[in-house]
Amino acid sequence: RWAAERMTENCLACSLTEGDRVPGGRIFETDYWVIEHCIGPLGVGTLIVKPFRHCIHVSRLTDSETSELGVVLRQASTCVQELNEAEQVYVCLWSHMGGIPGHIHFVVQPSWAHQRERFSGLGPTMQAQQFRDNQPLPPSDVNAFCERARSWGGWSAAQQGNEADRP
């Protein structure tokens, strides 16, 4: 499904979606979105939510992609919070590769107060320091987290996500 439209040559996000070296393997997918573990130094338990289709602007998402997005981000955030026992979960959009707009992807990252001992701040400051430190993630820890995330019971098709609003 989408093969010709999904893959864009020289796009790392597309390459990873198509199965090239993604740590821990694919965690979950809907008709339009895929969830994988991050490949960068943002910590074990940080997920990436990205459209299957190569898209470099949120404004260019289709109505169908947009209708699934909120449910998918909520599910990914809940998964990250529950499995990591995170105090907070950051969700931010990234879309540059080498200073050039690239395949959009949402970073869903756990955060805890104890991280202030290691980093001079949380949020974007912490992320910038994590990239400067560039500490590789232990593959066995990433694989173990991905196994737990795949079996997490909160995943559902985004179209079925229209249940009553939760508090």
Side-chain angles (χ1 to χ4, degrees):
R1 115 192 125 176
W2 303 74
E5 189 176 354
R6 287 198 322 196
M7 186 71 166
T8 299
E9 191 175 331
N10 298 324
C11 174
L12 177 60
C14 287
S15 175
L16 292 170
T17 297
E18 294 300 321
D20 185 23
R21 305 175 323 269
V22 68
R26 184 168 297 168
I27 293 171
F28 185 73
E29 66 182 74
T30 67
D31 287 341
Y32 301 100
W33 297 89
V34 61
I35 300 169
E36 302 164 343
H37 199 280
C38 76
I39 62 168
L42 297 177
V44 173
T46 300
L47 300 181
I48 299 297
V49 176
K50 61 187 173 183
F52 274 112
R53 182 177 65 87
H54 182 79
C55 182
I56 62 171
H57 302 285
V58 171
S59 64
R60 301 262 169 84
L61 291 172
T62 67
D63 289 345
S64 297
E65 289 164 335
T66 303
S67 70
E68 283 190 357
L69 179 58
V71 174
V72 171
L73 285 176
R74 181 184 68 206
Q75 290 175 358
S77 297
T78 304
C79 176
V80 166
Q81 187 165 26
E82 289 180 3
L83 296 185
N84 289 296
E85 299 179 3
E87 293 172 5
Q88 183 56 278
V89 176
Y90 300 137
V91 176
C92 56
L93 173 73
W94 291 10
S95 66
H96 278 86
M97 178 67 97
I100 299 169
H103 195 130
I104 61 171
H105 56 286
F106 293 87
V107 175
V108 182
Q109 181 183 30
S111 176
W112 304 269
H114 70 79
Q115 289 174 310
R116 285 191 294 259
E117 296 167 12
R118 179 171 174 209
F119 303 107
S120 64
L122 298 176
T125 302
M126 179 182 74
Q127 289 178 339
Q129 289 177 341
Q130 287 174 308
F131 273 102
R132 268 193 305 275
D133 292 350
N134 199 26
Q135 295 296 310
L137 304 180
S140 60
D141 293 352
V142 170
N143 288 332
F145 180 84
C146 290
E147 284 300 318
R148 291 175 52 223
R150 265 190 291 283
S151 64
W152 178 71
W155 300 117
S156 66
Q159 297 89 333
Q160 298 170 1
N162 295 328
E163 71 268 11
D165 289 340
R166 297 190 280 184

